[in-house]
Structure formats: structure tokens, C-alpha cells
Amino acid sequence: MTVHIEDAPPRVPGPDPSTAGLPPPRPRRPRSARWLPYLLLAPAVLALAAVLGYALVRNLVISFQEFGRRQLISRTTEWTGLDNYRAVLENERFWDAAVRTFVFMAANVLVIMILGTLIGLLLNALGTKMRLLLSISLVAAWAMPVIASTTVFQWLFDQQFGVANWVMRSLGFSGYEQHNWFGSGTSTLAIVTVLIVWASVPFVALNLYAGLTTVSGEIWEAARMDGASDWRVFWSILVPIMRPFFLITTFLEIIWVFKAFTQIYAMNEGGPDRQSETLPVMAYMEGMGQNQYGAAAAISVLTLIILLVAMSFYFWLIFKQEKEES
């Protein structure tokens, strides 16, 4: 008797038990694709290097020279080494301006981030028509030219015809018949703070609202069903989700406020008696006002170094955030 054995079906290889539960391996990109982002960024990097690189290098070179009106007219070069830096660091006015710059920056960034966050949350809660109206108002304030807005604030706080004195008198306060709001450095910087906050809050508010639109509504509903309060929802849900936004936005605001020059100089030229002078204004006054371009270049280099050291903590936070997300 002959026994016929049917051919067994071919064995299909199954998943390896040792890799069960692990994510599939990420396909490797071709080597040419890895260089593509850098090639796309190369034109912009080269353009920035050509425009800004020369100015930075030239400024660094001048900081090691005695560069004043005589050298500018005679076109001579007098190298002084670190004398400019030594003179600047031994000048008490430089340290007063440095402390004033940091206090001014901290106050502005704190108010900008708080008000910008509150207005961004308000935009997310409003209806379509009111949101559109508020957004248009924010964009109008944000798009206002700096010199134009500074001039308006000078009119508002004018000693004789300013609206601020009229409001204070209308509220019953005495001593504001012809009050000079620019009579001290503190009041001058306070007015500049109002101006910078007014112009910077729209950026934070609109960007926060744009980020909130990407948050799923189910997260908010789940938190409400669990009985979470508004503060708990903000601190435990919104802040962790929007943490990259808060880090980057605070980082940008610190840089923008630290280097603020136009508003302070156009408002009162760093006065009175340089009491509202910050580091960028001091560098300009030493260069264009005193014709001490070497000292001015040294101040600008030191300002850049101080800003980089102060921002090193934020760089660390951003790199840490990227590592956690990768």
C-alpha cells in the first residue's frame, strides 16, 4: 500500500519573540537626505554671515584700538590692547548701567509674559467676533513703528499738555499741573516700560492663542469632569503642554528687551543726567556723543558677553527640552 503525504504549506516567518512589544526599527535615511536640511539653510546662514559677520568682527577689532575723532580724520590705527576694556570695567557708570539694564529687562519680561499669557487665554475663551476685534487691536499695536509709538507716549506724558497730567488732576491728585514725568531716570524707564510692554504683549498673546488651538478639547473636558479648577487646569495641563512655547518666548523677550535702544534714546536720550541709560544707550552715547568709538565697541562686546552668560541657563533648558522630546 502506498501512502501519499501532502506537501506541507511553506512556513511563514513570524515575529521574533525576543522583540515582542518593541517599536519597529526606524528606517535609515539615505546619507544624501541627511545633508538636505543643511543645504537648504546654507543660503540664509551665508547671507547672515556676510551682513552681520563683518560688523561683529570689525566691532571687535575697533575695541582693541584707540579710535576717536583724530584717528578717524587722519585714518591712522593705534592699537591699545585691553586698555578700552580696562577703562570701561573701571568706570562705575558702566556697572550702574549694567544693573539698570538687568532690572529693566526683568521687570519688562515679567509683565510682558504675565499680560501676554492672560490675553492669550482670553482670546481662546472669546467668541469669534470679539476674538477678531481683539486680534486686530493687538496686531495694530504690534505693527506700530517704534518712533511713532515713542512720539505718542511723549505727547501723552508731556509736562504742559499731556493727557497723563490731565487724568491725574481729574482723579483729584494734586501737584500734577505741570508735572515733569521725565524728571528722573526711574520715571523715564517706567514710561518706557509701559511702551515696551504695550508693543510686546501682542506677540506673546497671539502666539499663545495659536498654540492653544492645537490642544485637543478632550483634554479640557476630561479635566473639567475631574473637577479641576481653572488654576489647576492652567498649571497642571496647559503649562506642561505649552512649556516649549514659554521657554522660547521668554528667551526671545529677554533678548529683545535687553537690547532695547530706540525707545529709551528717543524718549529722553538716556537722561536726565544719564539716569535712564542702559548698556546699548551707553555704547551709543560713548561712540556718537563722545567720539570714543573704541570704548563704545568695548562696551558693546561686553554687553554681548554679559547677555550670552546670562542666557546660558536658558540655552541649557532648551537643549534639555529637545533631549526629552527626542
Side-chain angles (χ1 to χ4, degrees), residues 39-116:
L39 292 176
L40 295 176
L41 290 174
V45 173
L46 292 176
L48 287 175
V51 175
L52 300 178
Y54 173 78
L56 290 174
V57 173
R58 181 60 176 163
N59 186 77
L60 182 62
V61 171
I62 293 177
S63 67
F64 295 103
Q65 298 176 354
E66 177 65 29
F67 199 102
R69 183 179 301 174
R70 179 171 58 84
Q71 290 80 12
L72 187 63
I73 296 175
S74 62
R75 297 183 179 182
T76 58
T77 302
E78 299 180 13
W79 296 93
T80 58
L82 298 176
D83 289 350
N84 288 325
Y85 291 94
R86 189 178 299 109
V88 169
L89 293 175
E90 292 176 354
N91 190 347
E92 293 183 1
R93 193 159 52 84
F94 171 80
W95 296 108
D96 292 340
V99 173
R100 189 180 301 116
T101 302
F102 274 97
V103 174
F104 176 74
M105 176 199 67
N108 275 269
V109 173
L110 180 63
V111 177
I112 289 170
M113 293 304 300
I114 292 176
L115 292 181

Side-chain angles (χ1 to χ4, degrees), residues 24-289:
R26 183 180 298 178
R28 299 184 61 182
R29 294 186 301 173
R31 181 170 298 180
S32 59
R34 299 177 187 175
W35 289 99
L36 181 59
Y38 301 99
L39 292 176
L40 295 176
L41 290 174
V45 173
L46 292 176
L48 287 175
V51 175
L52 300 178
Y54 173 78
L56 290 174
V57 173
R58 181 60 176 163
N59 186 77
L60 182 62
V61 171
I62 293 177
S63 67
F64 295 103
Q65 298 176 354
E66 177 65 29
F67 199 102
R69 183 179 301 174
R70 179 171 58 84
Q71 290 80 12
L72 187 63
I73 296 175
S74 62
R75 297 183 179 182
T76 58
T77 302
E78 299 180 13
W79 296 93
T80 58
L82 298 176
D83 289 350
N84 288 325
Y85 291 94
R86 189 178 299 109
V88 169
L89 293 175
E90 292 176 354
N91 190 347
E92 293 183 1
R93 193 159 52 84
F94 171 80
W95 296 108
D96 292 340
V99 173
R100 189 180 301 116
T101 302
F102 274 97
V103 174
F104 176 74
M105 176 199 67
N108 275 269
V109 173
L110 180 63
V111 177
I112 289 170
M113 293 304 300
I114 292 176
L115 292 181
T117 301
L118 293 176
I119 296 178
L121 295 173
L122 178 62
L123 282 172
N124 192 52
L126 290 175
T128 304
K129 293 182 180 179
M130 291 302 299
R131 183 187 301 123
L132 179 61
L133 179 61
L134 181 56
S135 299
I136 293 175
S137 302
L138 291 173
V139 171
W142 190 19
M144 179 72 70
V146 177
I147 293 298
S149 59
T150 304
T151 303
V152 171
F153 270 74
Q154 286 177 323
W155 292 342
L156 292 175
F157 292 92
D158 183 73
Q159 181 176 353
Q160 186 173 1
F161 303 105
V163 176
N165 283 335
W166 175 80
V167 171
M168 298 301 290
R169 292 195 304 268
S170 301
L171 294 176
F173 293 95
S174 59
Y176 288 91
E177 285 72 19
Q178 288 190 357
H179 178 70
N180 183 12
W181 292 89
F182 304 102
S184 67
T186 303
S187 61
T188 300
L189 289 178
I191 296 172
V192 176
T193 297
V194 176
L195 171 60
I196 293 179
V197 169
W198 172 79
S200 301
V201 161
F203 173 79
V204 179
L206 293 173
N207 278 278
L208 177 60
Y209 168 67
L212 291 175
T213 58
T214 63
V215 180
S216 174
E218 299 176 354
I219 300 178
W220 305 100
E221 295 178 2
R224 296 300 184 190
M225 293 180 64
D226 290 339
S229 62
D230 293 338
W231 172 252
R232 190 65 177 176
V233 171
F234 172 79
W235 191 252
S236 300
I237 297 178
L238 177 61
V239 171
I241 294 177
M242 302 298 295
R243 184 183 177 188
F245 161 79
F246 287 114
L247 287 177
I248 296 299
T249 306
T250 305
F251 173 77
L252 293 175
E253 291 296 337
I254 288 176
I255 294 177
W256 289 339
V257 176
F258 192 92
K259 67 183 184 65
F261 165 78
T262 307
Q263 298 91 333
I264 301 174
Y265 182 79
M267 188 70 72
N268 202 20
E269 297 183 359
D273 298 328
R274 295 192 170 187
Q275 295 178 15
S276 62
E277 187 178 67
T278 58
L279 288 177
V281 177
M282 181 181 179
Y284 179 84
M285 295 297 293
E286 288 295 321
M288 302 304 296

